[in-house]
Structure formats: structure tokens, C-alpha cells
Amino acid sequence: MVAAHASHSSSSGEWIACLDKRPLERSSEDVDIIFTRLKEVKAFEKFHPNLLQQICLCGYYENLEKGITLFRQGDIGTNWYAVLTGSLDVKVSDTSNHQDAVTICTLGIGTAFGESILDNTPRHATIVTREYSELLRIEQKDFKALWEKYRQYMSGLLTPPYGTPLIEPHIPHRPTKTITQVPSEKILRAGKILRNTILSRAPHMIRDRKYHLKTYRQCCVGTELVDWMMQQSPCVHSRTQAVGMWQVLLEEGVLNHVDQEHHFQDKYLFYRFLDDECEDAPLPTEEEKKECDEELQDTMLLLSQIGPDAHMRMILRKPPGQRTVDDLEFIYEELLHIKALSHLSTTVSIFKNTTHHQKGVFNQGEEGTSWYIILKGSVNVVIYGKGVVCTLHEGDDFGKLALVNDAPRAASIVLREDNCHFLRVDKEDFNRILRDVEANTVRLKEHDQDVLVLEKIPAGNRVSNQGNSQPQHKYIVMSGTPEKILEHFLETMRLEATLNEATDSVLNDFIMMHCVFMPNSQLCPALMAQYPFPSQGTEQEKMDYALNNKRRVIRLVLQWAALYGDLLQEDEAAMAFLEEFYVSVSDDTRMIAALKEQLPELEKIVKQVSEEPKAQQKKHKVLLQLFNTSDDRTQKRQPIRGSDEVLFKVYCIDQTYTTIRVPVSSSVKEVISAVADKLGSGEGLIIVKMSSGGEKVVLKPHDVSVFTTLSVNGRLFACPRDQFDSLAPLPEQEGPSTGTVGTFELMSSKDLAHQMTIYDWELFNCVHELELIYHTFGRHNFKKTTANLDLFLRRFNEIQFWVVTEICLCSQLSKRVQLLKKYIKIAAHCKEYKNLNSFFAIIMGLSNVAVSRLSNYLISLFFLKDPSRNHRAYRLTVAKLDPPIIPFMPLLIKDMTFTHEGNKTFTDNLVNFEKMRMIANTVRTVKFCRSQSFNPDAALTNKNHQDVRSYVRQLNVIDNQRTLSQMSHRLEPRRA
């Protein structure tokens, strides 16, 4: 922020000196200095970079002492202003005498004014400095030029006038047109609760307002409503979220804009509650105030859940040219999770919102005029003579074929439910999308075949730390052959960047995802092929090229080895390559001394993965006893590797078992072989996964690492195929018959949450990032284990069923109520420890139908569980947390699966690298959550909590939903 009065720093003085120059006299260095400084000023934080750059070219600096009149009401304006520091009073007079002027509002830091110069109308008010103030001034001719060029970005930044000046004390109300004809009962109630709470807690917010000589009765200001809402509830995380919540009321006419605008804005605009539309609206009674206080949080929760949809509808109702940069960013974030738009989300400015109330969208044989994406609801696709051929749901699209082929509609689209919402793109805009995508696409061909496809995207007009202007566009890889993608990243690698620099994420995307399309057996030879000396050019040219090229390859190998870490020990091709590569680099340092600086780091990595200390080796070559996650040893938990051996019980049809000893990553075929050796015969054997509820799955011979894929009480069976139907669950799979409430109630909720978090962190910290990729694309495709991820996911289910089991095994109502309260406290402490995985597991346990149906429970679930808008509330919360965090892992898995199933891995025989980038971005969440180490609370850890520690690691649960529901009905039979 610019320093006030005489306390300017030298840097402030420098940029002000640049602004004091005439525009034609400013050098590019002057503009860079002004740009860098203005970016830090609140007044310009929402300005588009291109617009801000132009302001740096034409703006002037003004500083005024207190009490200076900048201009008077009725003057013809010549300048536009933005407040950098200080504040100014806005005064208006009902007469021509300026001495009669009264202050109607104050303009603070970040506000802009003076837009009347656009149409040469007289100034609506007198502006006087309230204190020493600094302003940025733009002359009329320059401001008009900016407005013509950047109208889209500036329209949302100017103060809109409220009609024409009128000298009347009161203005009769006009009937307000609303989007919804009749407000719903719940939104009417929500509006009443908010109005009454404001009148109770902040009555000054609802009062008569005067602006431009016009009086508006009993109004609130948009910015004040947003400020107030953010102070009322922890479920409101941002101003954007609060805007969406108020938009819900505006859509249904429970809150109205005084000039009948249909979108709520976080600005100095006037809004009026429906109750205040009447003269002498009644004030709430004490009883009503008390009721509203009690219902406020539930109201906030309701609005926070439906607010994002209302906000998106509000933006989509605007004509595309009127959408602000913030609007586009909001839609972009929302569209990221709509599979039909995964490749088109940068074109959101042309989308329109459509609500269908009639039963049909279009009919077979009609001309195609639009493309549709389903936001809400579902539709049937109907073809004459065939009937309903398929059903489309939220996220699906339709209508594209007729536009692409310029042909009649090939089917009819019929709504399956009322009030469906769609994104609609008109034919002209759809064709423009196709043209724009192709125009911004660069294709590299070899032998008339595409081998690399790049897309040009805006990079933002920004200034680097060195003051150099950065490119306005950059090219990103969309698809290509594996070799060409590797070659491209090596060629464009920035050698000055550090290994951990965030801007190098595109290279990390390749390193993380290459196992999908370019396994180590293919990558390692390709890296060696990129490493040798060139054969053409002068000796100096060869040396210069070799140095840069070899440094890039070394850099990539270092990042690759750092990510894979110990996993490289299980890959013979990778190990052989590392040793060969190290020898080559060592030899090259004799001719290219500059390579020596990278050699120690390479040597360190090679030693780590190829010369593992015997003690470390011994620690990993343990026999895993049935993957006993409740192992109570005090040493730190080690990640499970595919080469580790496991002692595992495989049961027979007579419920006896044989114990086999095989590597964790063994295939089912290898498991059958081990079982056959023990049984003496393996002819016709199959391996079956059996749940406690009796569900049976025959495992395929190529399935790998199946031991940890079992459900909480699941078991493996081996039997001849003709005896499959005779298999039945073991009695031990049923789970406990008595609860542990007697032990459980003596333990502190905080201690339980703390010990759960310690254990969950141990499990989470063992999960390698690559396990998420193996899990998403199928571990059998890589022949790799995902044992650590499996155990962490199973822990989620274990905690969830622990909650349900204990409540359903508790026969006393009073005890159940206490148990419920305790679980809610444990969940709250888990959230406090940022253990979101256990937090959600407990909340979902409380949501289980076997618990939620019990009529004596009034469960107020945490708002974070709300799944609307793809768990938006959860995502907003996590975005504000600092690591260490234990994330909600099932949601990460869902995101990756959604991306994987909604996008092809190969398009036209090229790697779909855009898909790789999207999945890598989700995987990076895990890296971020673990970027800081977890340090348990010493005060709690040092206490004697061995009993609590043992308890949370040895949960004994019922995971059969049918059994749990039966127990619930015995506790509380269904009413007739």
C-alpha cells in the first residue's frame, strides 16, 4: 500500500516520480515500476493486467491535504479518479447553494469515481477530501479510450448511477419484477430470519438512504450485507460465497434491488427486504428475535448449499459481453467439474443459462440451433421406432452432432423431471469455439502425421522481478507421442529454476504421469538418446549445445528419481539406467567442468536407491502378518512395498484355511500356485473375495496385490469353480456382538481424536503419490501394489462402521444419546487437528441410515459434508488450511476417477496430455497436504495414553449394512 503523507519510502517516491512524468516521456522502465507498484494497491487488485498496463501509461498522481474540494456538484468533469490512500466525502445539495450540501457517503481506499466524464453530464455531487489523500487521475480523453477498449473489464468497477437526480424526499415504490414468480416457503422464512436478525443485531444497516438527490426507503447496502453475513457463520468462507447466498433471496423476490436489477453485487448498491416494501413494516418482537437467533445457523447452512447454483445462474443470465473477470473465474472453477466441458472451460464467456419447464427440449428432425450441457436434472434420448435409447444426467451434453454435421436432430430430447437447468451454446458461438480452438492450436507433423499438438493460452501480461515484460501467451502440450512430449519439455526447460519451484509444475506433470504412457523401460532409453554429444557444428557450438542439453537431461533425471524414490529399487531397468547414467555424467565432467555442480546430487540419489543400508533393507523385508493395521509396536510405520512378503490366510469351502507366504504384489495366478502347493492340488482353483454380507467376487488371474483390497471384514477363499455357489461367510466375519461403550465413555474425546490423527497420519504418510495413479488406471496395468493407499481407504470405512456399530450395539437410549454427542465432539476435534479423513468418516457414520432413522436423534451434521456443487464447501475450507492436512481421500479418488473415465488416455494415437495434467493436479493435493511434517501435541502425547492408542488401532466393527439396519429396527421398530 502507498505510504501516507511525508512517510514515502524511496520505492514509493520512485514510482510517484514516474507517474509525475508526462505519458509520452515515460520509459518502459517507468511503466514497469508503476505497474509493479499498482499491483499492490487495493484499488487495482481486480483490474485486468492489460487494463492496468494501459493505466500505467496514462495515469497521473495527485496528493491532496484535508478539506480540499476536488470538484463541485454541477461541474462538467474532466478527470476520473481512484483512491490510493485516505478518504473523501461525497456531498449533495438540494439547492444551488453549496453550503447546503450534506454528506451522503464516504469514498475509501479502493473506490473509483468520476465516470460522468463518459457522457459529459454534470457532476452529481461535490467531492471533498476527508483527510490527506492520494489519488490516481486519468484525463477524460484517455479514460474514454480505455472505456472503449476495455469496457468488459471496467463495467463492473464503476459506480453505477441510480436513475436521474430528483428533488423529492420520498420516491414511491415500483412493483419489483423477480425471476421466480412466487417465493418458496423456506426462502421466505430465510429472508425473514435474516431481516429480523439484522434489525436485532445491527439495526443501522436498514435505513433510509440518499443518493444523487434521491431517497431510498429502508434499504441495505450490498457491501454491508456481505460484510455482515461473513461475520455470522463459519460456513461463509468468502465474499463470493456470500454474494451467492444473497442472490438466492434476490432470485425469489425476498430481497430486491431498488432499480430491479436481477443480480446481487458486492458494491455500494441498495437492496430492500420484501417486508420493508410496505410502509411502516413491523419490527420483530422479542419472541421473534429469539426464534431467529435459534434458526440463523440452519438458515446460513441452507443458503450456503444453494448459493453457488444461484450465483452461477446470475452470471449466466448476463450477456456474455457484460461478464466481469471475476464472473469468468467463478464459472471456470464450476465448469472444471463438468465432464462435457473439460476441454472447453476457457470459452465460458459465451455460455447462456436455460431453464426448461416444458417436457421437450427439441424433437427429432428439427434444425439444430444450440448445444446443451445439463447442469441440473436428467433427460431421455428418444428415437422414433426405438423409444428411449439412453438417459443423460448432470454433466452430460447433447445436440452437438447436428451442429457439427449441419444436419437435422437425430433424436428427441425429453425431460425426465421438472425444472431442468442447462448451459446452452448457440450455433454461431459453438462454431466460434471450434474455430478458436483450432486457430490457437499448433501442430507439429512428421511424415504427414501429428506428433505434437500445442495450444496457445493467455499467460497474463505481467512484469517479472527483474522488471522484464513476460510473454502475454504461452503454449501448453495438449497431446503428442511420448518421445515428442519428452523432447518438448527438455527443450523448454528453464535451467535457472530451482528443483522445487512451483512454476516448473508442467515438467512435474510429465514425471508423475509418464508411467501411464511411457513406462521406465521406454523412458530410460529415450533419456539416454537425448544425452549424447551432437555430431554437427563447430567445436564450440557442440560444447555449448551439449552443456545445455545434458544439464536439462540431468535435471529431469534428478526430479524423476526424487519422485520415484525407493520405488526405483523394484525396477531393474530403472536401476540399470541410473547406474549407467551416473557413469556417463561422471565421464563427461572431465570435458565439461560445468556439469560437476550437478554430480554430487546425482551421486547421492544413486547411492540411496542402489546401495540401501542393510538395516533399512532388513526393516522392509519383514513378514506382514495379515496386514495387521492394529500392530501396536512403537516404531514408526514403514511403507509397504511390492517385494515385501506377506503371511496370509486363504480359506477353503469347509472354512478351514491354509497360510501362504508370497510377495505383496503377487498376482492371483501366483496366489493360486502358492495355495496349490499347500493343498497338494490346484486344478480348477479360483480365488474368491468374500464380504461379511456374503457378496462374492471371483478375482481375475492378472489381478495383483489383492490382499489389501478386501473390505473391513472381508476374507479370501480358494475353491474349485464348481463349488463357488456353496461358499459362505465365516462366523468371525460377522463382527462384535457387544459394544465397547463401557471402555469408550471413559476416554476423553480430545485424546481419542488425537490418537486417531496420529495413526491416520502414519497411514497417510506411507501412501506414495504414484499409488493414486496406479489405483486410477488399474494396478494390474502396472503390476504394482497400492497396499498403502488401500489400507488408508479401508481405515475410512473402518471408522465409519465403528460409529454405526457402537450406536447400534447400545441398547439404552440415554447411552446412545451420550454416544452420539461424543462422536460429534470427536469429529470436531478431528477437524481442529485438520484430520478431514476421520472427520468425514465419523460424519458419514452418523449419516448412515441405520443411525439417521432413529427418531430420537436430532443430528445437526457439519456443513462440510454437503455434497452440492461437487463438495464445494469442503473444497473452500481446505483451500484456506495450511499443511499438515489429512485430506478426505475418497473425494480425491472420486476426482481422479471422474477425470479418467470422462477423458480418453489416447486421442488419434497421441497421448492426451491434458488429461495427464488434470490428474497430476489432483495428485499434487497429496503432496501439498504433506509439505509440512505432522508434529503430535506433546502435551497429549506425553500422557499415558497407551489404552487410547491401542483402542483406536484395534477397532472391531460390523460392516454388513443389512445386519446394522436390522439392529437399528430392533432398537426402534418402524411405526405402523
Side-chain angles (χ1 to χ4, degrees):
M1 187 58 67
V2 183
H5 224 138
S7 60
H8 297 300
S9 64
S10 58
S11 60
S12 281
E14 184 181 16
W15 83 278
I16 290 170
C18 297
L19 268 177
D20 280 340
K21 293 182 182 179
R22 300 291 302 173
L24 293 177
E25 297 172 357
R26 291 175 193 164
S27 65
S28 59
E29 185 179 357
D30 292 336
V31 174
D32 288 345
I33 291 170
I34 299 168
F35 184 91
T36 303
R37 193 63 178 168
L38 286 186
K39 281 196 305 182
E40 302 169 1
V41 177
K42 182 180 178 182
F44 300 103
E45 62 185 10
K46 291 186 176 181
F47 278 42
H48 190 276
N50 293 345
L51 172 58
L52 190 56
Q53 188 85 11
Q54 293 302 311
I55 288 175
C56 296
L57 290 169
C58 63
Y60 293 89
Y61 171 79
E62 295 271 352
N63 61 330
L64 303 171
E65 297 294 333
K66 177 182 178 181
I68 300 297
T69 299
L70 193 63
F71 53 73
R72 294 187 182 278
Q73 183 178 339
D75 292 349
I76 299 297
T78 57
N79 294 282
W80 176 81
Y81 300 89
V83 184
L84 302 178
T85 66
S87 57
L88 303 93
D89 285 334
V90 179
K91 299 185 176 186
V92 296
S93 171
D94 292 349
T95 68
S96 57
N97 190 341
H98 296 303
Q99 294 178 345
D100 296 336
V102 294
T103 301
I104 61 168
C105 67
T106 299
L107 303 174
I109 295 170
T111 54
F113 59 94
E115 64 278 2
S116 64
I117 61 175
L118 286 173
D119 51 12
N120 291 318
T121 54
R123 298 292 196 189
H124 299 300
T126 299
I127 305 293
V128 181
T129 53
R130 188 184 183 91
E131 58 188 307
Y132 173 84
S133 302
E134 294 175 298
L135 310 174
L136 184 108
R137 174 174 61 85
I138 297 180
E139 294 179 346
Q140 184 178 32
K141 65 179 188 335
D142 294 322
F143 186 75
K144 282 186 173 182
L146 289 176
W147 174 258
E148 287 303 316
K149 189 172 183 181
Y150 297 102
R151 182 191 301 258
Q152 176 184 351
Y153 302 125
M154 297 178 72
S155 58
L157 302 169
L158 306 183
T159 307
Y162 286 97
T164 55
L166 294 172
I167 311 173
E168 295 182 22
H170 295 289
I171 303 300
H173 297 308
R174 291 174 289 176
T176 305
K177 295 172 70 177
T178 62
I179 296 170
T180 303
Q181 295 293 324
V182 180
S184 64
E185 286 296 326
K186 63 181 181 181
I187 301 303
L188 268 176
R189 181 61 184 164
K192 186 174 288 292
I193 289 167
L194 293 179
R195 174 185 178 269
N196 289 349
T197 306
I198 289 174
L199 288 172
S200 174
R201 300 181 182 181
H204 64 280
M205 286 177 58
I206 302 177
R207 66 178 190 273
D208 291 354
R209 309 273 182 168
K210 199 169 187 179
Y211 194 86
H212 287 179
L213 309 183
K214 183 175 177 180
T215 300
Y216 298 85
R217 292 190 57 260
Q218 294 300 94
C219 293
C220 308
V221 171
T223 50
E224 292 178 7
L225 288 174
V226 172
D227 289 338
W228 180 83
M229 184 166 276
M230 291 191 68
Q231 296 166 5
Q232 304 308 308
S233 173
C235 72
V236 186
H237 302 277
S238 66
R239 302 188 73 83
T240 299
Q241 186 187 4
V243 166
M245 294 164 72
W246 286 116
Q247 179 65 29
V248 173
L249 302 183
L250 195 70
E251 277 191 342
E252 302 218 13
V254 178
L255 182 75
N256 297 307
H257 183 277
V258 294
D259 275 353
Q260 302 184 48
E261 293 290 339
H262 283 166
H263 56 277
F264 184 91
Q265 296 186 69
D266 182 10
K267 294 183 180 178
Y268 192 80
L269 304 180
F270 298 155
Y271 298 91
R272 185 182 296 113
F273 282 99
L274 182 62
D275 286 351
D276 290 315
E277 297 281 358
C278 306
E279 296 281 350
D280 304 319
L283 295 175
T285 64
E286 289 303 316
E287 185 177 349
E288 286 176 326
K289 288 181 181 179
K290 184 179 178 181
E291 286 179 359
C292 291
D293 278 344
E294 292 173 353
E295 294 182 46
L296 180 64
Q297 292 309 313
D298 287 339
T299 298
M300 289 290 191
L301 180 57
L302 168 69
L303 294 176
S304 71
Q305 291 170 352
I306 58 181
D309 285 330
H311 194 176
M312 190 165 181
R313 287 193 297 271
M314 171 191 80
I315 296 170
L316 293 171
R317 286 189 188 101
K318 297 181 185 179
Q322 293 182 15
R323 293 173 192 161
T324 66
V325 176
D326 286 345
D327 290 342
L328 298 182
E329 286 180 358
F330 181 86
I331 306 176
Y332 179 79
E333 289 298 322
E334 294 297 315
L335 297 190
L336 282 178
H337 302 290
I338 298 178
K339 61 185 177 184
L341 303 175
S342 59
H343 294 84
L344 296 175
S345 47
T346 55
T347 64
V348 294
S349 61
I350 53 83
F351 287 121
K352 302 174 178 69
N353 188 49
T354 303
T355 303
H356 271 270
H357 299 281
Q358 57 269 55
K359 284 296 178 184
V361 181
F362 54 71
N363 293 318
Q364 185 174 343
E366 292 180 352
E367 179 188 359
T369 58
S370 298
W371 173 47
Y372 296 83
I373 301 97
I374 304 172
L375 285 181
K376 177 184 176 184
S378 58
V379 300
N380 283 333
V381 180
V382 181
I383 296 178
Y384 296 148
K386 294 184 180 180
V388 177
V389 295
C390 68
T391 299
L392 303 177
H393 302 275
E394 180 178 320
D396 292 325
D397 67 305
F398 59 89
K400 187 160 47 179
L401 191 64
L403 302 186
V404 173
N405 297 332
D406 197 21
R409 297 295 193 190
S412 299
I413 301 294
V414 179
L415 273 59
R416 298 179 71 242
E417 51 202 282
D418 294 332
N419 200 25
C420 291
H421 290 267
F422 306 99
L423 282 174
R424 177 173 58 85
V425 183
D426 292 337
K427 186 174 183 177
E428 182 181 343
D429 289 322
F430 177 81
N431 290 332
R432 180 160 62 83
I433 291 175
L434 298 182
R435 288 196 304 271
D436 289 349
V437 169
E438 194 56 38
N440 289 319
T441 300
V442 176
R443 298 177 183 273
L444 178 65
K445 292 180 180 289
E446 291 182 358
H447 307 296
D448 292 327
Q449 298 292 321
D450 287 343
V451 292
L452 188 67
V453 180
L454 306 175
E455 184 182 22
K456 183 172 72 173
I457 63 169
N461 192 355
R462 61 192 189 281
V463 177
S464 69
N465 294 333
Q466 291 78 28
N468 300 320
S469 180
Q470 298 294 307
Q472 294 187 27
H473 294 90
K474 62 181 179 180
Y475 288 89
I476 60 170
V477 177
M478 301 298 291
S479 60
T481 64
E483 293 77 12
K484 281 299 173 185
I485 293 174
L486 170 63
E487 189 178 309
H488 172 79
F489 284 128
L490 286 172
E491 288 175 353
T492 57
M493 184 186 294
R494 293 168 50 228
L495 289 171
E496 73 276 10
T498 60
L499 275 176
N500 295 319
E501 188 175 348
T503 55
D504 210 25
S505 62
V506 288
L507 184 59
N508 286 330
D509 292 347
F510 173 83
I511 292 169
M512 185 180 295
M513 300 302 301
H514 80 82
C515 59
V516 175
F517 56 87
M518 193 179 195
N520 287 337
S521 58
Q522 186 180 347
L523 174 67
C524 294
L527 285 171
M528 288 303 296
Q530 292 288 333
Y531 189 74
F533 282 96
S535 57
Q536 297 179 343
T538 65
E539 287 303 313
Q540 187 60 47
E541 287 172 344
K542 289 180 184 179
M543 292 297 288
D544 290 345
Y545 179 84
L547 172 61
N548 287 329
N549 204 44
K550 288 176 183 289
R551 285 179 64 197
R552 290 188 178 102
V553 176
I554 294 170
R555 164 84 182 282
L556 191 148
V557 170
L558 288 173
Q559 286 185 255
W560 170 72
L563 174 67
Y564 274 73
D566 293 344
L567 296 183
L568 290 174
Q569 294 166 7
E570 299 179 359
D571 191 321
E572 292 181 6
M575 293 293 294
F577 161 74
L578 267 181
E579 292 172 3
E580 179 189 355
F581 187 73
Y582 173 66
V583 171
S584 297
V585 176
S586 299
D587 291 344
D588 287 344
T589 56
R590 300 188 188 98
M591 291 181 290
I592 309 176
L595 293 179
K596 287 183 179 178
E597 62 186 52
Q598 291 174 294
L599 191 61
E601 193 169 0
L602 184 61
E603 182 180 17
K604 180 181 175 183
I605 285 179
V606 171
K607 283 185 176 180
Q608 279 179 344
V609 298
S610 63
E611 300 176 13
E612 184 179 328
K614 291 182 179 178
Q616 190 78 359
Q617 201 171 38
K618 184 179 178 182
K619 191 181 294 183
H620 278 290
K621 292 299 179 183
V622 295
L623 291 175
L624 300 167
Q625 302 280 345
L626 301 176
F627 291 102
N628 187 4
T629 57
S630 61
D631 192 351
D632 204 34
R633 292 172 300 175
T634 57
Q635 65 260 35
K636 184 180 176 183
R637 186 177 185 85
Q638 294 295 316
I640 298 168
R641 298 184 185 171
S643 57
D644 289 342
E645 292 186 322
V646 58
L647 279 178
F648 208 85
K649 292 178 180 178
V650 179
Y651 292 84
C652 302
I653 194 163
D654 59 358
Q655 301 198 341
T656 60
Y657 65 85
T658 181
T659 303
I660 61 171
R661 176 173 173 168
V662 291
V664 171
S665 59
S666 297
S667 67
V668 168
K669 187 177 180 180
E670 291 167 329
V671 171
I672 291 174
S673 178
V675 171
D677 285 345
K678 287 293 187 79
L679 297 180
S681 173
E683 190 174 346
L685 276 184
I686 57 172
I687 299 295
V688 180
K689 188 160 59 172
M690 172 85 74
S691 74
S692 60
E695 293 86 6
K696 296 174 283 190
V697 177
V698 178
L699 299 176
K700 298 173 183 176
H702 67 269
D703 287 341
V704 296
S705 187
V706 297
F707 308 104
T708 46
T709 62
L710 298 172
S711 56
V712 177
N713 290 332
R715 297 290 186 270
L716 278 187
F717 284 76
C719 71
R721 187 173 292 276
D722 60 3
Q723 295 181 5
F724 172 78
D725 293 335
S726 301
L727 289 176
L730 306 169
E732 66 184 58
Q733 289 184 256
E734 293 177 5
S737 57
T738 56
T740 60
V741 66
T743 305
F744 180 43
E745 64 184 352
L746 299 176
M747 299 175 181
S748 153
S749 299
K750 190 166 188 177
D751 292 346
L752 284 160
H754 184 247
Q755 289 297 330
M756 288 170 69
T757 301
I758 292 174
Y759 185 44
D760 289 354
W761 180 262
E762 288 179 20
L763 292 171
F764 175 53
N765 209 34
C766 288
V767 178
H768 199 286
E769 293 161 39
L770 289 168
E771 289 188 63
L772 279 84
I773 297 169
Y774 300 153
H775 184 280
T776 302
F777 287 86
R779 78 198 86 205
H780 61 276
N781 291 319
F782 306 91
K783 297 182 180 177
K784 299 288 186 182
T785 182
T786 58
N788 303 289
L789 176 61
D790 295 338
L791 293 179
F792 186 52
L793 290 171
R794 192 162 79 179
R795 175 65 173 175
F796 181 90
N797 293 330
E798 187 177 61
I799 293 174
Q800 185 176 331
F801 283 118
W802 167 56
V803 173
V804 188
T805 299
E806 292 296 337
I807 291 176
C808 288
L809 285 173
C810 186
S811 58
Q812 288 181 277
L813 174 60
S814 59
K815 289 275 190 184
R816 288 203 302 275
V817 171
Q818 292 304 313
L819 197 55
L820 174 69
K821 290 179 180 177
K822 193 173 189 76
Y823 276 126
I824 291 175
K825 286 181 181 178
I826 295 171
H829 287 305
C830 284
K831 185 182 171 195
E832 177 188 338
Y833 289 128
K834 295 184 280 193
N835 181 358
L836 302 180
N837 204 59
S838 283
F839 167 82
F840 270 95
I842 293 171
I843 297 305
M844 287 187 175
L846 294 172
S847 309
N848 188 289
V849 65
V851 175
S852 61
R853 66 165 295 277
L854 298 176
S855 60
N856 291 295
Y857 289 168
L858 180 62
I859 301 176
S860 177
L861 296 179
F862 293 77
F863 75 94
L864 276 181
K865 182 188 169 290
D866 168 41
S868 64
R869 303 306 301 164
N870 199 16
H871 291 274
R872 184 175 180 82
Y874 165 78
R875 297 178 195 278
L876 287 169
T877 299
V878 173
K880 290 190 169 188
L881 295 179
D882 295 320
I885 305 166
I886 304 178
F888 179 23
M889 186 59 78
L891 183 58
L892 286 178
I893 296 295
K894 174 194 166 190
D895 287 347
M896 294 180 67
T897 303
F898 180 89
T899 303
H900 173 50
E901 293 181 351
N903 300 274
K904 294 180 179 178
T905 302
F906 294 92
T907 55
D908 299 327
N909 296 321
L910 300 179
V911 177
N912 180 3
F913 198 76
E914 190 176 17
K915 172 180 176 176
M916 304 300 120
R917 190 164 50 244
M918 292 163 69
I919 290 180
N921 191 48
T922 304
V923 176
R924 258 195 296 276
T925 304
V926 171
K927 186 174 183 180
F928 168 76
C929 290
R930 296 193 300 217
S931 58
Q932 297 292 328
S933 58
F934 174 70
N935 298 310
D937 189 331
L940 291 174
T941 305
N942 292 337
K943 291 181 182 179
N944 183 17
H945 284 307
Q946 190 60 36
D947 54 342
V948 182
R949 183 179 188 276
S950 298
Y951 179 82
V952 300
R953 292 170 183 244
Q954 300 180 51
L955 301 177
N956 196 10
V957 306
I958 300 169
D959 69 343
N960 185 341
Q961 185 62 50
R962 191 184 307 110
T963 301
L964 291 168
S965 295
Q966 289 170 352
M967 293 165 64
S968 173
H969 281 89
R970 282 197 294 270
L971 288 175
E972 223 176 277
R974 185 185 286 111
R975 293 174 183 174

